[in-house]
């Protein structure tokens, strides 16, 4: 069974509900805060590279990280 994909809004709300800022989440996961903000704002298609990894980790994309 596949995990339900979240919307970008749901992912952002989950961070806020847990009391985690975008900057904190980015630092804890090895990304720059601007990269995470770009993904959450739909500025990137999240097909590969850091945007793919961020989207998968946030649960807004079904995918694998190698």
């Amino acid at each position: 069974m596949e995990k339900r994909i979240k919307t970008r809004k749901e992912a952002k709300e989950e961070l806020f509900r847990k009391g985690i800022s975008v900057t904190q989440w980015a630092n804890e996961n090895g990304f720059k805060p601007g990269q995470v903000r770009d993904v959450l704002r739909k500025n990137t298609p999240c097909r590969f590279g850091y945007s793919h990894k961020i989207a998968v980790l946030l649960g807004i994309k079904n995918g694998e990280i190698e």
Side-chain angles (χ1 to χ4, degrees):
M1 184 169 92
E2 287 191 30
K3 194 173 157 182
R4 184 179 94 67
I5 302 300
K6 300 174 200 163
T7 65
R8 285 172 162 83
K9 182 179 177 183
E10 289 171 333
K12 202 182 318 185
E13 288 172 354
E14 183 178 341
L15 290 176
F16 296 146
R17 191 173 52 252
K18 292 179 178 180
I20 301 171
S21 69
V22 170
T23 299
Q24 179 184 346
W25 188 91
N27 291 335
E28 290 174 356
N29 288 279
F31 301 104
K32 294 178 183 175
Q35 294 172 321
V36 178
R37 286 188 194 99
D38 285 346
V39 169
L40 290 172
R41 289 182 187 146
K42 289 181 136 177
N43 290 342
T44 56
C46 306
R47 291 189 183 139
F48 46 82
Y50 75 82
S51 63
H52 168 80
K53 291 177 184 177
I54 292 168
V56 171
L57 290 172
L58 286 172
I60 62 175
K61 179 180 179 184
N62 186 19
E64 296 179 17
I65 301 173
E66 292 191 15

